[in-house]
Amino acid sequence: MNISGCGRLRAKPGKEFTMPVVYLVIPCYNEEAVLPETNRRLTEKMRTMMQTGLADEKSRILYVDDGSRDKTWQLIEEYHRADSLVRGVKLAHNRGHQNALLAGLTTASADCDCAISLDADLQDDVDAIDQFVQKFVEGCDVVYGVRNKRDTDTFFKRTTAEGFYKFMKFLGVDIVFNHADYRLMSRRALEGLLEYREVNLFLRGIVPLIGYRSDYVYYDRHERFAGESKYPLKKMLAFALEGITSFSVKPLKLISNLGLLLSLLSVLGLIYALISYFTHNAVAGWTAIVSSIWLLGGIQLLCVGMVGTYVGKIYSEVKSRPRFRIETNLKDEED
């Protein structure tokens, strides 16, 4: 990841600098409670950026409804009718946060110079958007939003989250510590992202693989403004497993090493048993035998389960099913 050399302006030689077309991409799933305040803050921020010269008048806010069961889509339609600044994309079925985000970035890539992805719950600091765009203007293609601290998290969530990032680093995954999906990507970075065709999406691991010049924006994450978290413990664990098995084969190597170690220990145990037998020191030990069987059986099942996870991913990839399907796309009237 190269964060040096972010000092060139977005202007061709001999031409005046033009303001970038900025798209804010916000995946939404049952965000009826928070969406009115989110829309108010984002439209206010976007108009301020237009007035200060950070964003072109063609810039837009793009909401992606990921199959919500509440009135999220109705609200998006209302905002679109009332304000040309707002666009909306409705997925035909709930496909999960990562696929909804990719759908929004795919839609935005055709019209924007850069796109900034953020959550709808207002935990991502909206005021940091200016810094994202400024770094883009200075020449960076990818800008990562990184949390300064995790004071708003519970002890359990803070410990497990930081442990996850460290574990991913240990597995050799190029991942930005304390970065979620609050990031800016230029159009060419988005085009690079769309070349990755895997079905099992983990954007935090894919984006650093694209390359190009990058930098960081540090911000304080807020409490959720309203509504409930869409990432309970079960989903967090599933997301972590998705990232681990999508970007590293080290677990398979660890299993192989464990198998080799157990094989050596088994040989040593066999030698010890033979010596005990021939020296008449062997004592029938039902507990030891049963314990050994259960221990080895458990390890074997764990290993088979891990291998099965990878086989399942291969199964998902070879089917090449669509990652999302757009049902409705609210665009500008002139489009």
Side-chain angles (χ1 to χ4, degrees), residues 35-77:
L35 204 56
E37 179 65 18
T38 300
N39 188 68
R40 185 190 70 79
R41 293 192 191 182
L42 292 182
T43 52
E44 181 179 302
K45 168 57 66 175
M46 187 65 80
R47 287 198 163 84
T48 300
M49 291 170 60
M50 291 177 179
Q51 294 171 359
T52 57
L54 271 180
D56 188 88
E57 291 184 356
K58 294 181 180 179
S59 299
R60 294 291 182 267
I61 300 169
L62 177 61
Y63 295 108
V64 183
D65 178 34
D66 185 24
S68 298
R69 296 189 298 269
D70 61 3
K71 296 181 180 179
T72 295
W73 179 246
Q74 290 92 317
L75 289 174
I76 294 173
E77 288 182 312

Side-chain angles (χ1 to χ4, degrees), residues 116-133:
I116 301 174
S117 57
L118 66 161
D119 292 337
D121 55 17
L122 294 176
Q123 288 188 283
D124 297 325
D125 185 9
V126 174
D127 291 330
I129 292 176
D130 299 43
Q131 300 178 55
F132 280 91
V133 178

